[in-house]
Amino acid sequence: MSQAVVTERVARPTAPAFERPRRRWGFARRLLRNPLLLVWGIVLLAMIAAAVFAPAVAPSDPLEQSNDLLVGPSRTHLFGTDELGRDVFSRVIYGARISLSVGLVAVVIATVLGTTIGLVSGLAGGVVDNVTMRFIDILLAFPGIILAILIMATLGPSLVNVMIAVGLSAIPWYARTARASTLVVKEYDYILATRAVGSGPLRIMVRHVLPNVITPVIVLSTIGMAGAILAISGLSYIGLGAQPPSPEWGSMLSQARLYMQRAWWITTFPGIAIVMAVMAINLIGDALRDALDPRLRNVGKN
């Protein structure tokens, strides 16, 4: 190589420093362009803040009973009281703490286990991949809620078990997503080069494949959070999740169903809380998908 070529390469100007923050903040700008994300993001943040600071936000203990039975919404009780005189507003606030935290744990279980299975299956290939995916196909043949009910029937009804059941029932979707991305990424030239220099399977999976397949998993996890909240509320409604007197949204609906005609508020407000949480998380997941998918970045610009 000639000295002139070397000098030209060394002296070649680098990109201006101000361009790097522009690229770094491009993802945030794409998110902020979505007005629905801003609105529902504020709603979700408000629900999370209320759950975290529930003792300061709730006007009373969610388990405290009084003589004000089935009293409608008023200044004293914003959402009214239930059949035992408990403040519905306080129970909805504390229910956010339970439903959001349990849904988050269930999604973490599904994401970690499902992504690991998908990565190992996609990288191993051959018999390992065939056997693993056939087992995943068998699990996918069952509706998620039915599979969760089967797991709950084995473990027994409790809040911890419902987290495990919902998390395990969602594993096939994460495994399929991670495997599909892994099959594409492992054929890239840099993966082949990494193998050529002697890198082990674990290093390849963690250092090179996982960062490139995590994007669709993040989007699926965000949307899966909404599904987990619905599943947990459904299981609690039929008596397999949170047990009375726990102020969980699904359990509150189950206890109040006998009083729907006499006191509409004890079912309306927990139901609205479930709808708002699920809608906010779904819309945020859609916004993340649009911002992270490079195929959608230039849509509408032409």
Side-chain angles (χ1 to χ4, degrees):
M1 182 180 297
S2 65
Q3 183 66 29
V5 174
V6 174
T7 303
E8 180 184 357
R9 291 187 177 181
V10 173
R12 184 177 298 165
T14 58
F18 63 82
E19 291 184 1
R20 295 180 181 177
R22 184 181 303 174
R23 291 194 299 268
R24 187 182 301 125
W25 290 102
F27 170 72
R29 286 202 306 271
R30 287 192 296 271
L31 283 178
L32 294 177
R33 288 191 189 122
N34 191 332
L36 286 177
L37 174 66
L38 295 177
V39 173
W40 288 102
I42 293 173
V43 171
L44 183 60
L45 287 177
M47 298 183 74
I48 294 174
V52 173
F53 301 103
V57 176
S60 63
D61 188 294
L63 304 181
E64 181 182 354
Q65 302 180 17
S66 68
N67 294 325
D68 298 329
L69 307 181
L70 299 177
V71 175
S74 63
R75 291 183 179 181
T76 306
H77 304 285
L78 292 179
F79 291 174
T81 62
D82 62 7
E83 71 280 3
L84 297 178
R86 296 171 297 190
D87 185 71
V88 176
F89 178 72
S90 299
R91 291 179 62 79
V92 169
I93 294 297
Y94 275 89
R97 169 179 286 188
I98 296 175
S99 296
L100 294 177
S101 60
V102 171
L104 179 61
V105 172
V107 167
V108 169
I109 293 173
T111 302
V112 173
L113 296 180
T115 303
T116 302
I117 293 172
L119 285 170
V120 172
S121 179
L123 284 175
V127 177
V128 174
D129 185 37
N130 287 331
V131 172
T132 302
M133 287 301 106
R134 297 301 75 77
F135 178 70
I136 293 297
D137 290 339
I138 293 174
L139 295 180
L140 286 173
F142 294 90
I145 190 66
I146 299 300
L147 187 58
I149 291 175
L150 291 176
I151 298 174
M152 288 298 300
T154 303
L155 299 178
S158 74
L159 204 56
V160 175
N161 290 342
V162 77
M163 290 188 293
I164 298 174
V166 173
L168 294 179
S169 65
I171 284 178
W173 301 102
Y174 293 86
R176 274 290 186 182
T177 301
R179 174 184 176 269
S181 300
T182 301
L183 292 178
V184 175
V185 172
K186 77 173 186 178
E187 300 299 329
Y188 288 164
D189 291 339
Y190 76 91
I191 298 294
L192 301 178
T194 304
R195 286 177 175 170
V197 298
S199 297
L202 182 61
R203 179 182 177 85
I204 293 175
M205 181 177 70
V206 176
R207 294 288 300 275
H208 303 287
V209 178
L210 180 59
N212 290 279
V213 305
I214 198 65
T215 297
V217 173
I218 291 175
V219 175
L220 182 61
S221 299
T222 306
I223 299 176
M225 177 79 175
I229 292 175
L230 282 177
I232 291 167
S233 298
L235 290 172
S236 297
Y237 183 83
I238 61 177
L240 295 178
Q243 300 299 303
S246 176
E248 196 274 334
W249 291 336
S251 179
M252 291 175 63
L253 291 175
S254 178
Q255 298 174 53
R257 66 183 186 274
L258 298 178
Y259 304 92
M260 291 178 61
Q261 295 182 349
R262 294 174 53 191
W264 56 268
W265 53 89
I266 58 178
T267 55
T268 299
F269 292 112
I272 290 176
I274 294 174
V275 170
M276 291 183 66
V278 171
M279 184 175 295
I281 294 172
N282 274 330
L283 290 173
I284 291 173
D286 290 341
L288 283 175
R289 181 202 60 197
D290 296 343
L292 293 172
D293 193 339
R295 296 170 298 180
L296 301 176
R297 292 177 187 174
N298 297 321
V299 174
K301 292 184 178 180
N302 297 329

